[in-house]
Amino acid sequence: LAEHSVQPAFAERWAITCWVYARFDAGPSEPGESTALPLPPERYASPARPLQLQSNELQEAGEDSIFVSIVSYRDSETWPTIEDMYHTAAFPRRVHVGIVWQIREHGEDEGILRIGRRVCKSLPQGCEANIRSLSVHPEAAAGPVPARAAAQTSLYGGERYYLQIDSHMRFRPNWDAFLVEQLRACGSAKPILTAYPAPYDHPYASGGAVLETRPTLLVPSHFDQNGLLRQRGRLLKETRRTPIRSPLWAAGFSFSSAQLLREVPYDESLAQLFFGEEMSIAIRAFTHGWDFFAPGEQVLYHLWKRDRPTFWEQNRANRQSSNPPTRNETSSSRVGKYNLSSLLRTGECASRQEAHARSVAKVLQLLEATNGAEEEDTLQGAHLLGIARARSDFFQSIGVDAEARTVLHEAEHGGQRPDAFASNGLRSCLEAIAA
């Protein structure tokens, strides 16, 4: 086999490619044994090790339906993520997906649509009808927070469970049943399973990947130049049978009861915000009485390499623009027409810089230390703090001095023994988002 490469060309060219399937046995074949190449496997083959369930009592039922929220910015990995998700689910028909596309439906992103047509034909029977979507022009995109808010308000269909993920993920077989089982084992009235997943790389093919199964735990990292608290994921040495209490919450993997959508909905006004999204939801969920847990082992994987178009590249190119595309350029959907340029709040501020500054200021207002209940009362509401716990208790629980903007030394262990963590190359992947 020769390594593939593409050389510059100055004329039209064509390429022909094919897949070759073969079985490599450990020993020589017996005389007379057939050497014909086998056909491709009928069932989707995942390289990830299946998750083992502790109970055999879980049954497929409508009341156990799962809503999966995905926001995709011109990401060619979105449809492969959906394909892998459905083919690795123990009960795929209970999985309902809501996608907010930020995509050019004509032009350079048409390849993503072609991938979608192929994937939809390959899904288990009845699953294509479970996919709902909205579409907005990339230049009208206002960041992940307004887009996730749109998924919650316009695409949620009353499912029992809520899974929020990024658009570039892969799953271990039986992920859905395992998450439900782990959620029930948390020992909390209002649990959320959350973590920074371990990485996967390309090619993600059967037998071609070595995937980490040990769990990761979120811990505080540092305060950035805007005064926002950042976090990182730490790899534990061993898998656990039960969920692990986690200090913090991750936007790219969160599984809970759908009650979370009603109690702690995304704030669509937080436009142009990336860092700050997770801490905003974490402190709001905590003060509403929610507890965070990491699954006892890896359940899904994340493509941490950012070798794809991102919202931030577009944002830099249009940083001074105050004129988003018109309605005709911004909205289309399989479930109806929406003026998403209004829904996503792109035109409320004179510039994207101003929108970002306003969003950061709003998050900082939630995070700043308070000296009395009177000030905290002004921060309570649909997109603000709850009344089940005090804001000061949140910082105490995670080991952070909010007033001094200092992460205490013991916070890096997240409530675990110092020797509970592994030390290997995975650390750099999981800490990249905290940089």
Side-chain angles (χ1 to χ4, degrees):
L1 295 177
E3 183 178 357
H4 172 72
S5 63
V6 177
Q7 301 299 323
F10 303 96
E12 185 178 24
R13 60 186 178 186
W14 296 82
I16 299 176
T17 186
C18 68
W19 288 100
V20 177
Y21 294 87
R23 178 183 289 118
F24 297 93
D25 297 319
S29 59
E30 296 294 330
E33 184 179 354
S34 172
T35 58
L37 294 177
L39 295 174
E42 293 183 4
R43 178 171 171 78
Y44 181 89
S46 169
R49 184 185 307 171
L51 289 155
Q52 301 300 315
L53 305 180
Q54 304 298 324
S55 169
N56 294 321
E57 298 178 0
L58 293 177
Q59 301 293 328
E60 182 175 18
E63 62 200 40
D64 286 340
S65 58
I66 300 171
F67 173 64
V68 184
S69 171
I70 301 175
V71 169
S72 173
Y73 184 88
R74 306 184 60 206
D75 191 352
S76 61
E77 279 289 286
T78 307
W79 280 114
T81 294
I82 294 170
E83 181 178 39
D84 189 78
M85 177 181 62
Y86 272 113
H87 282 289
T88 54
F91 304 114
R93 285 189 296 274
R94 71 172 172 186
V95 178
H96 300 258
V97 181
I99 315 170
V100 176
W101 293 101
Q102 296 160 105
I103 189 175
R104 294 182 174 94
E105 296 186 348
H106 305 285
E108 56 192 295
D109 293 337
E110 288 183 356
I112 296 175
L113 302 179
R114 288 195 295 270
I115 296 173
R117 289 191 288 269
R118 177 194 64 78
V119 167
C120 286
K121 292 178 182 179
S122 75
L123 296 179
Q125 184 176 5
C127 291
E128 182 182 359
N130 290 356
I131 301 175
R132 313 157 195 149
S133 65
L134 301 175
S135 182
V136 59
H137 194 282
E139 292 182 6
V145 176
R148 294 195 203 275
Q152 291 182 346
T153 57
S154 299
L155 298 176
Y156 172 62
E159 291 80 8
R160 180 174 182 178
Y161 295 106
Y162 175 54
L163 173 63
Q164 181 174 290
I165 60 172
D166 286 337
S167 58
H168 29 271
M169 313 286 279
R170 296 293 185 272
F171 297 75
R172 292 180 66 183
N174 302 326
W175 63 267
D176 55 322
F178 184 82
L179 285 177
V180 170
E181 186 178 79
Q182 287 273 292
L183 199 69
R184 294 173 178 173
C186 286
S188 167
K190 299 168 77 171
I192 304 174
L193 293 171
T194 187
Y196 282 164
Y200 75 90
D201 292 316
H202 290 301
Y204 189 82
S206 180
V210 178
L211 299 169
E212 181 62 70
T213 59
R214 293 172 294 178
T216 51
L217 186 68
L218 293 165
V219 298
S221 175
H222 64 281
F223 284 85
D224 65 17
Q225 68 274 16
N226 292 317
L228 295 172
L229 178 62
R230 304 277 277 272
Q231 62 191 34
R232 63 189 178 100
R234 297 194 65 189
L235 180 69
L236 293 165
K237 281 184 179 178
E238 299 176 340
T239 60
R240 309 279 182 92
R241 290 177 62 88
T242 57
I244 308 150
R245 178 76 70 160
S246 174
L248 293 167
W249 178 87
F253 168 39
S254 173
F255 182 77
S256 66
S257 161
Q259 182 183 353
L260 181 66
L261 279 74
R262 296 182 286 272
E263 290 192 6
V264 191
Y266 262 77
D267 184 352
E268 64 184 30
S269 71
L270 295 179
Q272 312 297 326
L273 184 72
F274 185 71
F275 296 116
E277 170 191 1
E278 291 174 325
M279 212 53 58
S280 169
I281 294 292
I283 193 168
R284 290 173 53 212
F286 179 91
T287 57
H288 278 84
W290 292 84
D291 297 314
F292 311 130
F293 297 85
E297 53 186 297
Q298 295 290 337
V299 182
L300 65 171
Y301 301 95
H302 186 281
L303 184 63
W304 290 103
K305 293 182 179 179
R306 292 177 180 171
D307 54 355
R308 57 189 180 276
T310 66
F311 163 74
W312 308 110
E313 293 173 351
Q314 180 67 51
N315 191 39
R316 283 193 296 269
N318 297 321
R319 194 174 294 275
Q320 302 301 325
S321 171
S322 61
N323 298 312
T326 64
R327 175 183 179 129
N328 290 337
E329 291 176 300
T330 59
S331 58
S332 64
S333 170
R334 290 185 57 193
V335 297
K337 297 288 183 180
Y338 296 82
N339 185 356
L340 286 186
S341 60
S342 172
L343 181 62
L344 302 188
R345 307 286 187 178
T346 57
E348 287 192 353
C349 300
S351 71
R352 287 167 168 81
Q353 287 178 309
E354 183 182 344
H356 176 261
R358 288 178 58 179
S359 296
V360 169
K362 190 168 185 179
V363 174
L364 287 175
Q365 188 181 22
L366 292 175
L367 297 177
E368 287 173 352
T370 179
N371 295 321
E374 182 177 349
E375 179 188 348
E376 194 153 324
D377 287 343
T378 66
L379 293 175
Q380 292 166 359
H383 296 121
L384 300 172
L385 300 180
I387 60 174
R389 296 169 176 151
R391 177 172 50 180
S392 58
D393 293 338
F394 170 74
F395 291 108
Q396 183 177 359
S397 71
I398 65 175
V400 167
D401 184 335
E403 187 171 0
R405 293 186 177 178
T406 302
V407 177
L408 305 180
H409 176 70
E410 59 269 21
E412 68 174 332
H413 306 311
Q416 303 295 309
R417 291 170 52 91
D419 61 359
F421 297 94
S423 57
N424 61 17
L426 180 61
R427 178 173 179 173
S428 60
C429 295
L430 298 178
E431 290 186 350
I433 197 169

